[in-house]
Each structure stands twice: as C-alpha cells, then as structure tokens.
Amino acid sequence: MTTRPQKHSLTLHGHRTSVSLEPEFWQAFNEIARARGLALNALAAEVDETRGMDRGLASAIRVYVLNHYRS
C-alpha cells in the first residue's frame, strides 16, 4: 500500500519550514518524539543539526526513523 506524502510545517531554530513525509513516517516520528519527551520541532531540529548538506530534511527524518527502529 502506497500513501502520498503529507506536508507539515515545522519551526527549526525560529524559522518555519515545511516537510513532506508519508503518514507512517509522521506517526513514527511523533511517537519517537513523545517517547523522548521532546516536542516534534525539537526532535526535527536535532535531526536537522546532524544531517549533512547533501541530504534534505525529509530524507534525514526518514533515515532517523529507520535507524531508531533498527536499533
């Protein structure tokens, strides 16, 4: 089953940005944030700070979620 990406707005370090992810990734990312006691924007900022300039934020979030559930 394929679902279309959904666009959500995030605030990273005071700047608004939008990210498109599949609903399953949004759900998993929200679950990780809750489990860590973080706001979604705070977790997104962490991912943003550690991603390389060669990777977009949406891709970095997908890889973060994948790595979280692999470990």
Side-chain angles (χ1 to χ4, degrees):
M1 176 182 209
T2 304
T3 55
R4 291 179 164 246
Q6 296 175 342
K7 189 177 284 194
H8 289 264
S9 293
L10 297 171
T11 302
L12 307 176
H13 309 293
H15 300 291
R16 300 281 289 168
T17 189
S18 61
V19 177
S20 294
L21 294 172
E22 294 75 12
E24 296 85 356
F25 279 103
W26 280 121
Q27 181 180 356
F29 197 53
N30 274 295
E31 289 171 1
I32 294 166
R34 271 194 306 276
R36 292 192 52 204
L38 295 172
L40 190 65
N41 287 329
L43 183 54
E46 275 187 23
V47 172
D48 184 50
E49 290 170 3
T50 60
R51 71 181 171 108
M53 295 307 294
D54 60 333
R55 177 178 288 168
L57 182 56
S59 293
I61 290 172
R62 286 184 189 96
V63 170
Y64 177 86
V65 168
L66 179 64
N67 288 335
H68 174 83
Y69 286 107
R70 279 185 168 172
S71 60

